[in-house]
Amino acid sequence: MKEFQAMTDEQLALLYVNGNNKAFDELLSRNQTKLFTYIMYVVRDHDVADDIFQETFVKAISKLHEGKYTDSGKFSFWLNRIAHNAIMDWYRSQKAAHIVEPTADNDLSNLRSNSVLDSYRESELVNEQVLCDVKKMIDALPAAQREVVFMRFYQNLSFKEIAEVTGVSINTSLGRMRYAIINLRKMAKQHNIELALDL
């Protein structure tokens, strides 16, 4: 597998299409943890995540063999798109609600994505607790909102990229983020959680 280490995912995908199965093994090895983490983060059920992960790679293999992949320099982005579609199909089958309507007076737009750390252990403990609280609240968001938060803050995708992956408009992506922030603020208020970190 050493000969594959210098290759991009896109080069490996094209090698696989041309019959090199070991190239696919390398692709799987490179992408499985990140992809499974993304799926698990959205569906929050290990068995479901495992099924969707496998379905994603089966679909990717099929699309590769059907010639539906071209070297665009974004193999992992393409794979995320397939996973997103599989997740949405699963949610449709579960008839899950995706969006919670917020009240207009809630807003967390003053929060940013970098945590505030200082050299004192007391502050570090406070920050760790806040991060734990924020993660619990994010886990309680509806799937569509949780997904956009994950893509934006954990995968560092732009709203344009999020829109492309999820198959919605940029405005819908921004709206989902807005509702996520509103819902996070509502949860923080209900549970008397002080959000001292930038989000």
Side-chain angles (χ1 to χ4, degrees):
M1 293 269 220
K2 278 189 174 181
E3 71 266 22
F4 297 136
Q5 288 178 351
M7 292 185 175
T8 65
D9 285 355
E10 292 69 31
Q11 291 170 324
L12 290 169
L14 296 174
L15 262 182
Y16 172 66
V17 170
N18 291 323
N20 190 325
N21 289 332
K22 289 187 177 182
F24 184 79
D25 293 342
E26 177 68 18
L27 269 177
L28 178 62
S29 174
R30 286 184 188 183
N31 290 282
Q32 63 186 0
T33 301
K34 184 177 177 184
L35 185 67
F36 185 82
T37 301
Y38 161 60
I39 296 167
M40 183 67 184
Y41 193 85
V42 177
V43 301
R44 296 184 299 172
D45 180 294
H46 195 279
D47 292 336
V48 171
D50 196 44
D51 289 346
I52 292 173
F53 174 81
Q54 291 177 43
E55 182 184 344
T56 298
F57 269 97
V58 168
K59 286 182 176 179
I61 289 168
S62 297
K63 288 177 184 293
L64 285 167
H65 283 293
E66 291 166 9
K68 293 183 178 176
Y69 175 77
T70 54
D71 183 0
S72 63
K74 294 183 176 181
F75 180 81
S76 62
F77 187 77
W78 179 76
L79 204 55
N80 266 12
R81 171 81 180 171
I82 295 171
H84 166 78
N85 290 339
I87 291 167
M88 291 303 107
D89 289 345
W90 180 80
Y91 270 109
R92 278 187 212 102
S93 75
Q94 301 299 309
K95 297 181 180 176
H98 294 286
I99 296 177
V100 171
E101 289 297 323
T103 57
D105 61 340
N106 289 319
D107 184 20
L108 274 187
S109 60
N110 61 328
L111 298 178
R112 287 182 290 264
S113 63
N114 296 323
S115 61
V116 179
L117 297 174
D118 65 28
S119 59
Y120 300 105
R121 181 63 184 147
E122 182 180 342
S123 293
E124 290 173 356
L125 289 171
V126 169
N127 286 337
E128 286 171 16
Q129 182 59 50
V130 170
L131 284 172
C132 182
D133 292 341
V134 168
K135 185 182 182 322
K136 285 178 188 173
M137 290 189 301
I138 290 171
D139 286 345
L141 290 172
Q145 294 172 22
R146 193 168 57 249
E147 181 179 39
V148 77
V149 168
F150 183 84
M151 289 180 171
R152 183 73 183 111
F153 294 112
Y154 292 87
Q155 294 184 323
N156 295 316
L157 296 182
S158 68
F159 283 106
K160 182 180 179 188
E161 291 170 326
I162 293 168
E164 288 174 20
V165 169
T166 57
V168 299
S169 69
I170 292 176
N171 285 342
T172 299
S173 294
L174 289 166
R176 287 176 179 175
M177 179 61 76
R178 180 177 171 269
Y179 290 142
I181 291 171
I182 288 169
N183 283 330
L184 287 170
R185 180 168 188 176
K186 192 184 293 184
M187 285 185 270
K189 191 173 183 180
Q190 286 172 349
H191 300 288
N192 293 320
I193 296 170
E194 188 69 34
L195 291 176
L197 287 179
D198 291 339
L199 193 109

